PDB file of all heavy atoms in Angstrom:
ATOM      1  N   SER A 146      10.844 -12.355  -9.334  1.00 74.00           N
ATOM      2  CA  SER A 146       9.912 -11.265  -9.629  1.00 74.00           C
ATOM      3  C   SER A 146      10.642  -9.971  -9.952  1.00 74.00           C
ATOM      4  O   SER A 146      10.095  -9.083 -10.605  1.00 74.00           O
ATOM      5  CB  SER A 146       8.978 -11.023  -8.437  1.00 74.00           C
ATOM      6  OG  SER A 146       8.221 -12.179  -8.167  1.00 74.00           O
ATOM      7  N   TYR A 147      11.876  -9.836  -9.471  1.00 72.00           N
ATOM      8  CA  TYR A 147      12.640  -8.603  -9.680  1.00 72.00           C
ATOM      9  C   TYR A 147      13.039  -8.468 -11.149  1.00 72.00           C
ATOM     10  O   TYR A 147      12.930  -7.396 -11.744  1.00 72.00           O
ATOM     11  CB  TYR A 147      13.888  -8.630  -8.799  1.00 72.00           C
ATOM     12  CG  TYR A 147      14.562  -7.289  -8.629  1.00 72.00           C
ATOM     13  CD1 TYR A 147      14.422  -6.584  -7.440  1.00 72.00           C
ATOM     14  CD2 TYR A 147      15.345  -6.731  -9.624  1.00 72.00           C
ATOM     15  CE1 TYR A 147      15.037  -5.353  -7.256  1.00 72.00           C
ATOM     16  CE2 TYR A 147      15.963  -5.499  -9.461  1.00 72.00           C
ATOM     17  CZ  TYR A 147      15.809  -4.820  -8.270  1.00 72.00           C
ATOM     18  OH  TYR A 147      16.413  -3.614  -8.097  1.00 72.00           O
ATOM     19  N   LYS A 148      13.477  -9.566 -11.748  1.00 65.00           N
ATOM     20  CA  LYS A 148      13.997  -9.507 -13.112  1.00 65.00           C
ATOM     21  C   LYS A 148      12.938  -9.751 -14.178  1.00 65.00           C
ATOM     22  O   LYS A 148      13.231  -9.686 -15.365  1.00 65.00           O
ATOM     23  CB  LYS A 148      15.101 -10.556 -13.283  1.00 65.00           C
ATOM     24  CG  LYS A 148      16.411 -10.159 -12.616  1.00 65.00           C
ATOM     25  CD  LYS A 148      17.510 -11.125 -13.002  1.00 65.00           C
ATOM     26  CE  LYS A 148      18.868 -10.616 -12.559  1.00 65.00           C
ATOM     27  NZ  LYS A 148      19.959 -11.522 -12.932  1.00 65.00           N
ATOM     28  N   LYS A 149      11.700 -10.039 -13.734  1.00 61.00           N
ATOM     29  CA  LYS A 149      10.667 -10.388 -14.696  1.00 61.00           C
ATOM     30  C   LYS A 149      10.427  -9.257 -15.690  1.00 61.00           C
ATOM     31  O   LYS A 149      10.209  -8.116 -15.309  1.00 61.00           O
ATOM     32  CB  LYS A 149       9.366 -10.701 -13.944  1.00 61.00           C
ATOM     33  CG  LYS A 149       8.244 -11.174 -14.848  1.00 61.00           C
ATOM     34  CD  LYS A 149       6.990 -11.434 -14.032  1.00 61.00           C
ATOM     35  CE  LYS A 149       5.859 -11.848 -14.944  1.00 61.00           C
ATOM     36  NZ  LYS A 149       4.606 -12.035 -14.205  1.00 61.00           N
ATOM     37  N   ASP A 150      10.499  -9.597 -16.964  1.00 60.00           N
ATOM     38  CA  ASP A 150      10.209  -8.662 -18.065  1.00 60.00           C
ATOM     39  C   ASP A 150      11.169  -7.471 -18.126  1.00 60.00           C
ATOM     40  O   ASP A 150      10.867  -6.473 -18.770  1.00 60.00           O
ATOM     41  CB  ASP A 150       8.773  -8.132 -17.965  1.00 60.00           C
ATOM     42  CG  ASP A 150       7.745  -9.253 -18.029  1.00 60.00           C
ATOM     43  OD1 ASP A 150       8.039 -10.256 -18.693  1.00 60.00           O
ATOM     44  OD2 ASP A 150       6.680  -9.118 -17.407  1.00 60.00           O
ATOM     45  N   ILE A 151      12.314  -7.554 -17.444  1.00 63.00           N
ATOM     46  CA  ILE A 151      13.275  -6.455 -17.501  1.00 63.00           C
ATOM     47  C   ILE A 151      14.261  -6.705 -18.637  1.00 63.00           C
ATOM     48  O   ILE A 151      15.004  -7.688 -18.622  1.00 63.00           O
ATOM     49  CB  ILE A 151      14.027  -6.289 -16.165  1.00 63.00           C
ATOM     50  CG1 ILE A 151      13.059  -5.840 -15.075  1.00 63.00           C
ATOM     51  CG2 ILE A 151      15.175  -5.298 -16.310  1.00 63.00           C
ATOM     52  CD1 ILE A 151      13.713  -5.568 -13.741  1.00 63.00           C
ATOM     53  N   ILE A 152      14.236  -5.834 -19.615  1.00 67.00           N
ATOM     54  CA  ILE A 152      15.156  -5.917 -20.755  1.00 67.00           C
ATOM     55  C   ILE A 152      15.818  -4.557 -20.902  1.00 67.00           C
ATOM     56  O   ILE A 152      15.139  -3.525 -20.947  1.00 67.00           O
ATOM     57  CB  ILE A 152      14.408  -6.278 -22.061  1.00 67.00           C
ATOM     58  CG1 ILE A 152      13.647  -7.601 -21.889  1.00 67.00           C
ATOM     59  CG2 ILE A 152      15.383  -6.358 -23.229  1.00 67.00           C
ATOM     60  CD1 ILE A 152      12.741  -7.927 -23.062  1.00 67.00           C
ATOM     61  N   SER A 153      17.134  -4.538 -20.957  1.00 65.00           N
ATOM     62  CA  SER A 153      17.856  -3.270 -21.082  1.00 65.00           C
ATOM     63  C   SER A 153      17.607  -2.669 -22.458  1.00 65.00           C
ATOM     64  O   SER A 153      17.602  -3.385 -23.468  1.00 65.00           O
ATOM     65  CB  SER A 153      19.358  -3.488 -20.871  1.00 65.00           C
ATOM     66  OG  SER A 153      19.596  -3.960 -19.567  1.00 65.00           O
ATOM     67  N   PRO A 154      17.397  -1.362 -22.530  1.00 67.00           N
ATOM     68  CA  PRO A 154      17.175  -0.723 -23.835  1.00 67.00           C
ATOM     69  C   PRO A 154      18.445  -0.743 -24.679  1.00 67.00           C
ATOM     70  O   PRO A 154      19.563  -0.841 -24.157  1.00 67.00           O
ATOM     71  CB  PRO A 154      16.775   0.708 -23.462  1.00 67.00           C
ATOM     72  CG  PRO A 154      17.353   0.933 -22.098  1.00 67.00           C
ATOM     73  CD  PRO A 154      17.332  -0.402 -21.416  1.00 67.00           C
ATOM     74  N   ALA A 155      18.263  -0.664 -25.971  1.00 65.00           N
ATOM     75  CA  ALA A 155      19.411  -0.627 -26.883  1.00 65.00           C
ATOM     76  C   ALA A 155      20.276   0.592 -26.571  1.00 65.00           C
ATOM     77  O   ALA A 155      19.751   1.667 -26.239  1.00 65.00           O
ATOM     78  CB  ALA A 155      18.921  -0.586 -28.325  1.00 65.00           C
ATOM     79  N   PRO A 156      21.615   0.452 -26.656  1.00 68.00           N
ATOM     80  CA  PRO A 156      22.532   1.534 -26.241  1.00 68.00           C
ATOM     81  C   PRO A 156      22.305   2.860 -26.942  1.00 68.00           C
ATOM     82  O   PRO A 156      22.514   3.916 -26.360  1.00 68.00           O
ATOM     83  CB  PRO A 156      23.915   0.963 -26.579  1.00 68.00           C
ATOM     84  CG  PRO A 156      23.731  -0.511 -26.618  1.00 68.00           C
ATOM     85  CD  PRO A 156      22.334  -0.751 -27.107  1.00 68.00           C
ATOM     86  N   SER A 157      21.860   2.838 -28.184  1.00 67.00           N
ATOM     87  CA  SER A 157      21.755   4.088 -28.946  1.00 67.00           C
ATOM     88  C   SER A 157      20.398   4.771 -28.807  1.00 67.00           C
ATOM     89  O   SER A 157      20.171   5.823 -29.397  1.00 67.00           O
ATOM     90  CB  SER A 157      22.026   3.800 -30.432  1.00 67.00           C
ATOM     91  OG  SER A 157      21.102   2.832 -30.919  1.00 67.00           O
ATOM     92  N   THR A 158      19.497   4.197 -28.039  1.00 77.00           N
ATOM     93  CA  THR A 158      18.146   4.738 -27.952  1.00 77.00           C
ATOM     94  C   THR A 158      18.051   5.824 -26.881  1.00 77.00           C
ATOM     95  O   THR A 158      18.915   5.958 -26.017  1.00 77.00           O
ATOM     96  CB  THR A 158      17.132   3.623 -27.641  1.00 77.00           C
ATOM     97  OG1 THR A 158      17.473   3.029 -26.373  1.00 77.00           O
ATOM     98  CG2 THR A 158      17.139   2.559 -28.729  1.00 77.00           C
ATOM     99  N   PHE A 159      16.948   6.565 -26.947  1.00 79.00           N
ATOM    100  CA  PHE A 159      16.698   7.601 -25.943  1.00 79.00           C
ATOM    101  C   PHE A 159      16.472   6.972 -24.574  1.00 79.00           C
ATOM    102  O   PHE A 159      16.839   7.552 -23.546  1.00 79.00           O
ATOM    103  CB  PHE A 159      15.485   8.431 -26.352  1.00 79.00           C
ATOM    104  CG  PHE A 159      15.136   9.511 -25.371  1.00 79.00           C
ATOM    105  CD1 PHE A 159      15.801  10.731 -25.373  1.00 79.00           C
ATOM    106  CD2 PHE A 159      14.131   9.314 -24.424  1.00 79.00           C
ATOM    107  CE1 PHE A 159      15.482  11.728 -24.463  1.00 79.00           C
ATOM    108  CE2 PHE A 159      13.807  10.305 -23.513  1.00 79.00           C
ATOM    109  CZ  PHE A 159      14.486  11.510 -23.533  1.00 79.00           C
ATOM    110  N   GLY A 160      15.857   5.771 -24.567  1.00 74.00           N
ATOM    111  CA  GLY A 160      15.624   5.081 -23.300  1.00 74.00           C
ATOM    112  C   GLY A 160      16.916   4.780 -22.560  1.00 74.00           C
ATOM    113  O   GLY A 160      16.987   4.911 -21.333  1.00 74.00           O
ATOM    114  N   ALA A 161      17.966   4.394 -23.304  1.00 79.00           N
ATOM    115  CA  ALA A 161      19.253   4.102 -22.669  1.00 79.00           C
ATOM    116  C   ALA A 161      19.873   5.363 -22.084  1.00 79.00           C
ATOM    117  O   ALA A 161      20.425   5.347 -20.970  1.00 79.00           O
ATOM    118  CB  ALA A 161      20.202   3.472 -23.691  1.00 79.00           C
ATOM    119  N   SER A 162      19.783   6.473 -22.798  1.00 84.00           N
ATOM    120  CA  SER A 162      20.346   7.725 -22.279  1.00 84.00           C
ATOM    121  C   SER A 162      19.550   8.228 -21.083  1.00 84.00           C
ATOM    122  O   SER A 162      20.120   8.750 -20.122  1.00 84.00           O
ATOM    123  CB  SER A 162      20.381   8.779 -23.380  1.00 84.00           C
ATOM    124  OG  SER A 162      19.069   9.033 -23.865  1.00 84.00           O
ATOM    125  N   LEU A 163      18.219   8.055 -21.119  1.00 84.00           N
ATOM    126  CA  LEU A 163      17.385   8.449 -19.976  1.00 84.00           C
ATOM    127  C   LEU A 163      17.706   7.591 -18.756  1.00 84.00           C
ATOM    128  O   LEU A 163      17.799   8.100 -17.629  1.00 84.00           O
ATOM    129  CB  LEU A 163      15.907   8.312 -20.343  1.00 84.00           C
ATOM    130  CG  LEU A 163      14.898   8.680 -19.254  1.00 84.00           C
ATOM    131  CD1 LEU A 163      15.042  10.137 -18.841  1.00 84.00           C
ATOM    132  CD2 LEU A 163      13.472   8.405 -19.739  1.00 84.00           C
ATOM    133  N   LYS A 164      17.922   6.303 -18.971  1.00 83.00           N
ATOM    134  CA  LYS A 164      18.269   5.391 -17.884  1.00 83.00           C
ATOM    135  C   LYS A 164      19.600   5.786 -17.244  1.00 83.00           C
ATOM    136  O   LYS A 164      19.723   5.871 -16.013  1.00 83.00           O
ATOM    137  CB  LYS A 164      18.345   3.958 -18.424  1.00 83.00           C
ATOM    138  CG  LYS A 164      18.756   2.891 -17.419  1.00 83.00           C
ATOM    139  CD  LYS A 164      18.697   1.511 -18.077  1.00 83.00           C
ATOM    140  CE  LYS A 164      19.118   0.428 -17.111  1.00 83.00           C
ATOM    141  NZ  LYS A 164      20.538   0.462 -16.769  1.00 83.00           N
TER     142      LYS A 164
END
Side-chain angles (χ1 to χ4, degrees):
S146 299
Y147 196 104
K148 285 189 170 181
K149 184 181 178 183
D150 300 329
I151 294 183
I152 303 172
S153 297
S157 58
T158 61
F159 179 82
S162 60
L163 180 61
K164 178 176 179 291

